[in-house]
Amino acid sequence: MRNLLFNIIAAGAGLWLASLYVPGVKVAVISGSNFFGFPITQDWQIILTLGIILGLLNFFVKPILDIITLPLRIITLGIFGFFVNMSLIWIVDVMFKEFSAPWFWPLLYTTLIIWGLNVILSLFVKRP
């Protein structure tokens, strides 16, 4: 449960930082935005929603993709893991019109920001 919470926090904070500092990454509220009937009217609401969705994808879907792509990860010495993470961010980009991370470099920089936040959060948490 703690890992899920950290995935959500890192994803939300990473998307927020990427929207501030990475050229091309945009998070904006569009008129009529809603999430399962709940209206979204503020930027923090869409960032929270995107963070929750990306955190859930990282928690549930990423381990399955890691197992499927294990041979490629071994051949590339782990670099292919960044492509798996980039694909999850791209899925969020496709799902939500409020989020835009076009092409390769903005996706890569956003992936690196979220990865860095996950590393920093894992350093501050004691493992039992």
Side-chain angles (χ1 to χ4, degrees):
M1 187 67 179
R2 182 177 11 176
N3 289 337
L4 176 61
L5 182 63
F6 289 138
N7 278 334
I8 291 172
I9 289 170
L15 290 174
W16 175 65
L17 287 173
S19 69
L20 290 176
Y21 297 113
V22 176
V25 176
K26 293 181 180 68
V27 176
V29 176
I30 299 172
S31 63
S33 294
N34 63 30
F35 185 68
F36 290 112
F38 295 104
I40 296 175
T41 58
Q42 301 291 321
D43 285 340
W44 67 268
Q45 291 173 333
I46 191 66
I47 289 174
L48 180 67
T49 304
L50 292 171
I52 290 171
I53 297 300
L54 186 58
L56 289 172
L57 283 173
N58 280 335
F59 188 75
F60 291 111
V61 177
K62 187 174 180 259
I64 296 168
L65 291 176
D66 285 344
I67 292 171
I68 292 170
T69 61
L70 183 63
L72 288 172
R73 291 175 70 117
I74 292 170
I75 291 170
T76 62
L77 301 175
I79 304 250
F80 195 77
F82 283 109
F83 290 106
V84 170
N85 291 338
M86 286 171 53
S87 67
L88 291 175
I89 295 171
W90 179 76
I91 288 171
V92 172
D93 182 17
V94 170
M95 287 174 53
F96 291 93
K97 59 186 172 201
E98 292 87 3
F99 175 64
S100 173
W103 299 104
F104 179 78
W105 294 110
L107 283 173
L108 179 66
Y109 295 145
T110 304
T111 301
L112 290 174
I113 289 171
I114 294 172
W115 173 78
L117 287 174
N118 270 327
V119 169
I120 290 170
L121 282 176
S122 68
L123 291 177
F124 288 116
V125 177
K126 289 184 180 178
R127 303 278 179 187

